[in-house]
Amino acid sequence: MLDKPSFSLDGDYYSSRFSELGKGEGDTLVLNLGPQHPSTHGVLRVIVELDGEYVRRAEPVLGYIHRMHEKMGEVKTYVQYLPNMGRVDYLHALAWNWAYVGAVEKLMGLEVPSRAEYIRVITCELNRICSHLLWWGAYVLDLGGFTPILYAFDDREILMDILQIPTGSRLTYCYYRFGGVSADLTETFLTQTRNFIERFKTRIPMYHDLVTGNMILRGRCEDIGALPAEMARRYGATGPVLRGSGVAYDVRRVEPYSVYDQFEFDIPVGKNGDAMDRYDVRMAEMEQSVRIIEQALNQIPDGPFINPDVPDRIMPPKGEVYFAVEGARGKIGVYLVSDGTARPYRLKLRAPGFSNLHVFAELAQGTILADAVSILGSLDLVIPEIDR
Amino acid sequence: MTQILQFLMLPLVHLIVALIAILTFIALNGLILVYVERKVAGFIQRRPGPFEVGPHGLLQPLADALKLVGKQLVMPRGADRILFWVAPLLSFAPVAICLLPIPFGPYLLGLNVNLGLLLVLAFSGLNVLALCLAGWGSNNKYALLGAARAVAQSVAYEIPLLLSVLCVAFTCGSLSFVDITASQTRGLLSWNVFSQPLAFLIFFVSALAETNRAPFDLPEAESELTAGFHTEYSGMGFGLFFLAEYSYMIVVSAVASVLFLGGWSGPFFSGHWWMLGKIYALILIMMWFRWTYPRVRFDQLLNICWKWLIPLSLINLLGTALIINLVR
Amino acid sequence: MTTTIQKTMKGLWSLIVGLKVTGKEFCRPWITVHYPRQEVTNLDTFRGHIDLVPVLDDPEKPLCIVCRRCEEVCPSGCIRIEGHVPGEEKEVPVRQLLLVSNISLPHSAAREPICATDKTLRVLDGFSLNYNLCSLCGLCVQSCPVSSLTFSSDVYLAGASRKDFEFDLLQRLIDRAGSTKLKKAA
């Protein structure tokens, strides 16, 4: 009766199109990874054409968690859009907070008190460590090591407890405000942060012992997914993915915003751009973040944590502005066009993960399926951020 | 007449009793090992592990087993009905025979055959077939890839396993587990692990690969293949694969402790306690590995086998043969 | 050849180092909080759903002056307020969602305490919160000119239906007042 079942086992539009497009020679297998798959971390879907275990072609399919954040910006007032920013990239929410708040401040010419700038630096860097820790655990989990993610979460829980003190939440922070932050840092926060830094300095060698030096892990990362600097640039990759390829591009250094020009920190870069380099860059970045936090804790001045002269109504003048910050995954940019009303005319969010993801299709070609998973993990993707 | 009947029946009765005892032992061990594995994982990860069902979660594996038994048996559309259901049975059934010739004490063994070693190796090879059938019969691409991996892996690792076992057979001059154990009862230093350390290492690594334990759990590599060959199995189908995996752990640990660690020999306690202790020590080490290491890649796994283990075990075998000839 | 062997030896040593790490952790105590028997201790800084703050002298009467700023600023529209001006007995009109109050300013602690006897105040008749929609941004609390809103730190919220998370904050305030009264009486 039924030639085909109502739901086709041959797949949907994307997979049929994928099969039609350049069906390779020989006996190949089209495999659909995701949107529900253990190694795609969320709802990324990747269609791969396999020749045995070798990946002939790979194509990411996006849009499974598209939430129209950009359009939402056009219908909400400036302040009402703040909670959205914690949800674009839930792992480094404060960087997104900062990008948006910074763009509006730049457009309005709002001044941020210097204590607020230091608070932002401290919390944002703590959040960056948080994000890198989760990536570290999840990446090793992708490679089959179960235990490291729980050690990472041990540290991450402490970080979240610390960040909960000023922000009140644990993941989707909505903490920065136009002209400052919404709450001051307390004495408990400062002592807990100092304690955490002391503890973290002993934890990092343990991480290296357990995972970085491990022969099996090195075998899974070294020379896997080597990304040449030229190719990384071509795709617009940023963050650790670009730095792993040896390009020392960090927004904090190249276009210093806030008070980042007052801290001493290195920008770790890789050499070959393989998964191991990206891994090393992120591990080194955590140590650099600790360095920044230590300096900021020593230098933090007294004063107001928010500019008292913020106007009653946030209505930036007509014009456009672009503001970029360095997130855990790369350059986070907010492009804002204002028509002088209480709502943005247009809001464009530049998500670093979007550019980083598209490197994957080219990198994965010709690798083994297990390597493709390793490459995907090493790009540190947060799917909600890519889809926005 | 009755005497003749008794004479005829006795080995058969002995065999049946032994089989029943072994099946009970396997089922009980399945429950214990699931609990131990989860507790080990928990402690390594600084958490309590199962805790809610029964005191310290002791009844948790029982609850899990009940859940698995109670589940509906689902077969995917387009799967091969016969192969799909034969596979888990085939995976589990040979385990009982594998444990039959292994002596748990001087007299505590199911079947004293002089080719016991061969019997175990032959029947444990059947597991590959089960994984292959499961992958093929499921009509699932992940399962198929997992099955392909399982076959390549098991076939490759059977060779160093055999070669390392042969070394022990050479030194002891027998394929019977009883004789091999008997040759190791003269104190700690008479254990084969001291005369054949390389063979023991090769055997242990190959055994990890044969039982699909981490870091060689490629056929079910869940980050790539979701669950590998048993992706489509639920309920008792999955339960049998699960039970088989733990049973094979017991088999290889038992074989390893008989071949290399002196089997039931040891002071103060009776033989079976020593045997059990050695088996569990080896299993604990396997669990420790699992919760420490990432997974090896497929081609690396085969490289380890073909480029390192097989040449090493061949050299070891030749060296052993040479020394034995010289000594004689 | 020698380098290969050296590399392999180094690799094998790294495996043993890994085992040492997990072995050490194995012997150390748990760090997880064992929920039904233990509870986490840092809930005071957690921001849960909002609650009304009572006036100084009457725990049943909210501080709220029905200015409707919170209702207006809420990005998710989860607050609904009803109120009237005493004497006039007519409802306070909903403001146009155009003017956004300066929510970037935190409420200062040094605000005048408001007493229940103040006749000029508008009276709050109902304050409903649809917690299903709330995104916990805290803008409502910050926009309140009289600090009438506060965060509860209740994380142990669970329910079987959406209705369970539609709170009547005024009722909650009265309930809380009742329980404190009972405590006082006891």
Side-chain angles (χ1 to χ4, degrees):
Chain A
M1 290 277 271
L2 275 171
D3 271 358
K4 263 183 171 179
S6 52
F7 60 95
S8 167
L9 287 176
D10 298 333
D12 61 344
Y13 167 73
Y14 291 102
S15 47
S16 53
R17 190 174 138 272
F18 182 78
S19 314
E20 277 168 26
L21 277 177
K23 171 85 177 158
E25 285 154 36
D27 205 1
T28 57
L29 175 83
V30 173
L31 188 66
N32 188 37
L33 299 174
Q36 317 294 337
H37 187 273
S39 74
T40 54
H41 300 296
V43 285
L44 174 67
R45 176 178 168 200
V46 182
I47 310 178
V48 288
E49 185 187 333
L50 291 178
D51 180 8
E53 284 231 12
Y54 285 90
V55 176
R56 275 270 182 86
R57 275 182 309 143
E59 188 183 308
V61 181
L62 302 179
Y64 288 89
I65 188 161
H66 177 51
R67 291 155 300 169
M68 296 181 277
H69 274 301
E70 290 180 1
K71 183 70 192 167
M72 263 193 237
E74 293 170 25
V75 295
K76 291 189 169 191
T77 58
Y78 283 93
V79 277
Q80 283 182 329
Y81 192 61
L82 280 170
N84 282 53
M85 297 320 285
R87 286 158 176 81
V88 180
D89 173 0
Y90 46 75
L91 291 184
H92 200 181
L94 285 177
W96 278 95
N97 267 250
W98 202 341
Y100 175 65
V101 166
V104 175
E105 281 162 1
K106 199 170 162 188
L107 192 58
M108 292 177 72
L110 274 180
E111 210 151 289
V112 184
S114 90
R115 184 176 173 83
E117 295 280 27
Y118 276 88
I119 294 176
R120 284 183 183 179
V121 168
I122 294 170
T123 47
C124 187
E125 293 301 323
L126 284 175
N127 204 191
R128 187 190 311 277
I129 298 176
C130 235
S131 168
H132 280 343
L133 277 177
L134 186 105
W135 161 81
W136 178 74
Y139 184 44
V140 185
L141 194 66
D142 276 353
L143 301 181
F146 297 89
T147 302
I149 194 168
L150 283 129
Y151 293 167
F153 268 57
D154 180 3
D155 282 327
R156 200 163 167 268
E157 274 307 309
I158 300 175
L159 271 178
M160 292 192 333
D161 286 348
I162 292 175
L163 281 173
Q164 184 188 306
I165 296 171
T167 62
S169 18
R170 294 176 74 80
L171 194 70
T172 50
Y173 307 111
C174 173
Y175 178 49
Y176 298 168
R177 297 284 188 267
F178 306 124
V181 293
S182 65
D184 203 359
L185 298 186
T186 56
E187 213 36 62
T188 10
F189 176 91
L190 296 176
T191 44
Q192 281 192 19
T193 312
R194 288 205 177 91
N195 293 345
F196 171 78
I197 285 174
E198 286 316 306
R199 174 197 150 93
F200 195 61
K201 281 179 180 164
T202 63
R203 295 284 285 186
I204 285 222
M206 186 271 258
Y207 291 162
H208 285 313
D209 279 350
L210 178 62
V211 176
T212 315
N214 190 296
M215 177 168 85
I216 300 172
L217 180 109
R218 295 200 86 90
R220 292 294 306 272
C221 295
E222 273 170 359
D223 300 326
I224 305 302
L227 174 69
E230 170 271 325
M231 184 176 149
R233 283 219 169 103
R234 182 150 47 85
Y235 277 96
T238 46
V241 176
L242 179 66
R243 288 195 284 277
S245 303
V247 184
Y249 179 83
D250 189 315
V251 186
R252 291 175 295 180
R253 180 58 58 77
V254 181
E255 329 161 12
Y257 51 96
S258 181
V259 284
Y260 272 113
D261 47 358
Q262 297 178 19
F263 303 119
E264 266 180 44
F265 61 99
D266 301 328
I267 294 170
V269 286
K271 225 186 210 162
N272 316 318
D274 55 8
M276 198 67 216
D277 274 345
R278 294 192 275 276
Y279 176 99
D280 285 336
V281 164
R282 288 198 186 93
M283 294 308 271
E285 250 174 45
M286 283 200 267
E287 289 172 50
Q288 294 306 321
S289 289
V290 166
R291 252 178 95 186
I292 296 174
I293 295 166
E294 270 185 323
Q295 294 171 46
L297 283 176
N298 292 334
Q299 295 172 16
I300 187 164
D302 283 335
F305 58 91
I306 192 160
N307 186 349
D309 302 327
V310 178
D312 202 42
R313 294 152 68 185
I314 303 287
M315 282 164 89
K318 265 187 192 173
E320 51 193 274
V321 70
Y322 182 75
F323 188 75
V325 298
E326 181 71 27
R329 267 151 285 283
K331 184 179 189 174
I332 294 171
V334 169
Y335 177 66
L336 185 70
V337 183
S338 163
D339 55 359
T341 60
R343 295 179 181 82
Y345 175 74
R346 173 81 172 95
L347 190 68
K348 163 86 180 96
L349 308 175
R350 187 215 184 265
F354 187 79
S355 315
N356 294 355
L357 165 70
H358 286 279
V359 177
F360 173 73
E362 204 172 317
L363 280 187
Q365 243 172 31
T367 58
I368 299 177
L369 182 62
D371 282 345
V373 168
S374 171
I375 294 169
L376 202 61
S378 76
L379 295 176
D380 188 13
L381 304 169
V382 171
I383 312 307
E385 178 203 50
I386 294 170
D387 282 350
R388 276 158 290 161
Chain B
M1 183 67 198
T2 45
Q3 269 182 341
I4 295 166
L5 204 66
Q6 261 181 352
F7 180 72
L8 273 177
M9 290 298 284
L10 208 59
L12 197 63
V13 170
H14 187 108
L15 200 66
I16 289 168
V17 169
L19 269 176
I20 290 170
I22 283 169
L23 281 176
T24 323
F25 177 69
I26 288 170
L28 202 66
N29 253 307
L31 294 182
I32 294 170
L33 286 183
V34 168
Y35 179 75
V36 171
E37 170 110 60
R38 292 178 65 179
K39 276 288 182 194
V40 166
F43 287 153
I44 282 182
Q45 297 165 354
R46 314 278 305 274
R47 58 191 175 82
F51 209 84
E52 295 305 319
V53 191
H56 280 259
L58 268 170
L59 298 178
Q60 183 68 49
L62 212 63
D64 287 349
L66 272 179
K67 180 203 75 175
L68 283 178
V69 171
K71 271 192 169 177
Q72 188 191 356
L73 296 171
V74 186
M75 199 181 69
R77 182 197 294 258
D80 189 312
R81 180 177 285 277
I82 298 168
L83 293 188
F84 188 76
W85 292 121
V86 161
L89 293 173
L90 195 63
S91 169
F92 178 68
V95 177
I97 301 169
C98 284
L99 279 176
L100 214 50
I102 291 171
F104 280 79
Y107 307 104
L108 191 65
L109 83 164
L111 188 67
N112 191 1
V113 282
N114 51 10
L115 287 177
L117 199 50
L118 212 61
L119 188 78
V120 171
L121 290 172
F123 274 95
S124 62
L126 271 181
N127 190 33
V128 196
L129 190 62
L131 304 194
C132 183
L133 289 187
W136 180 253
S138 293
N139 188 29
N140 180 308
K141 290 171 181 173
Y142 291 116
L144 189 64
L145 284 170
R149 284 179 175 193
V151 172
Q153 178 178 340
S154 296
V155 168
Y157 273 85
E158 210 113 289
I159 301 167
L161 192 82
L162 272 169
L163 290 176
S164 58
V165 164
L166 267 186
C167 294
V168 176
F170 274 19
T171 47
C172 298
S174 169
L175 287 172
S176 154
F177 283 116
V178 178
D179 293 350
I180 292 171
T181 318
S183 74
Q184 299 177 70
T185 45
R186 284 169 284 107
L188 187 72
L189 283 175
S190 67
W191 288 7
N192 280 331
V193 68
F194 297 107
S195 54
Q196 294 282 0
L198 191 62
F200 175 67
L201 278 179
I202 292 170
F203 180 87
F204 195 63
V205 173
S206 311
L208 279 178
E210 279 285 301
T211 47
N212 300 327
R213 287 288 298 183
F216 304 123
D217 54 345
L218 293 162
E220 45 186 311
E222 91 285 325
S223 56
E224 300 132 49
L225 302 181
T226 57
F229 63 87
H230 59 58
T231 304
E232 293 290 357
Y233 284 91
S234 60
M236 230 21 227
F238 169 74
L240 280 179
F241 275 122
F242 203 62
L243 198 57
E245 184 190 325
Y246 282 103
S247 311
Y248 276 110
M249 275 169 75
I250 296 171
V251 171
V252 293
S253 306
V255 172
S257 51
V258 169
L259 292 186
F260 296 100
L261 301 176
W264 40 261
S265 69
F268 309 128
F269 303 107
S270 346
H272 48 271
W273 291 118
W274 275 107
M275 183 72 182
L276 272 182
K278 285 166 188 172
I279 290 176
Y280 275 102
L282 285 175
I283 287 176
L284 277 177
I285 291 174
M286 287 164 107
M287 289 176 177
W288 191 6
F289 280 5
R290 174 168 178 193
W291 298 104
T292 306
Y293 298 140
R295 189 180 299 113
V296 175
R297 204 174 62 206
F298 187 58
D299 58 323
Q300 290 166 346
L301 175 92
L302 294 181
N303 273 346
I304 294 171
C305 179
W306 294 108
K307 288 189 183 164
W308 289 95
L309 295 185
I310 291 183
L312 277 177
S313 53
L314 271 174
I315 292 169
N316 196 31
L317 186 68
L318 285 177
T320 312
L322 203 69
I323 289 169
I324 287 173
N325 267 329
L326 284 180
V327 167
R328 270 183 204 157
Chain C
M1 183 69 191
T2 42
T3 50
T4 327
I5 290 173
Q6 259 178 356
K7 245 177 110 180
T8 317
M9 283 299 144
K10 221 179 123 196
L12 289 177
W13 178 247
S14 76
L15 297 184
I16 295 170
V17 169
L19 282 182
K20 271 203 287 199
V21 171
T22 43
K24 217 192 277 169
E25 298 289 316
F26 181 86
C27 304
R28 294 168 68 191
W30 311 331
I31 41 167
T32 48
V33 175
H34 212 150
Y35 169 57
R37 296 168 191 85
Q38 289 170 298
E39 283 185 11
V40 286
T41 49
N42 60 346
L43 283 183
D44 50 330
T45 52
F46 183 81
R47 295 194 318 212
H49 66 81
I50 50 170
D51 254 336
L52 284 170
V53 177
V55 290
L56 273 182
D57 43 358
D58 184 0
E60 282 190 12
K61 196 168 163 26
L63 265 175
C64 179
I65 54 168
V66 201
C67 69
R68 303 198 132 171
R69 280 182 175 211
C70 47
E71 192 177 5
E72 187 188 302
V73 78
C74 179
S76 324
C78 47
I79 298 172
R80 285 281 165 276
I81 295 176
E82 286 160 33
H84 68 271
V85 184
E88 290 182 25
E89 303 304 330
K90 79 174 183 208
E91 209 160 293
V92 181
V94 182
R95 295 211 314 201
Q96 290 290 306
L97 209 153
L98 248 182
L99 288 173
V100 168
S101 52
N102 179 12
I103 59 88
S104 55
L105 272 184
H107 49 276
S108 71
R111 275 187 190 132
E112 295 284 312
I114 297 171
C115 288
T117 45
D118 197 337
K119 282 273 164 25
T120 59
L121 290 183
R122 289 178 276 196
V123 177
L124 182 66
D125 296 325
F127 196 117
S128 68
L129 169 74
N130 189 348
Y131 192 45
N132 297 305
L133 307 177
C134 177
S135 51
L136 293 169
C137 59
L139 293 176
C140 47
V141 175
Q142 289 192 329
S143 68
C144 185
V146 291
S147 307
S148 167
L149 290 173
T150 180
F151 296 109
S152 70
S153 57
D154 190 6
V155 291
Y156 303 110
L157 277 174
S161 99
R162 289 190 185 184
K163 281 266 180 290
D164 296 346
F165 297 103
E166 286 163 14
F167 300 130
D168 182 354
L169 293 191
L170 204 56
Q171 192 56 48
R172 276 178 69 93
L173 182 73
I174 291 166
D175 292 348
R176 271 189 305 164
S179 63
T180 47
K181 267 180 189 166
L182 279 177
K183 264 185 206 159
K184 269 181 192 167

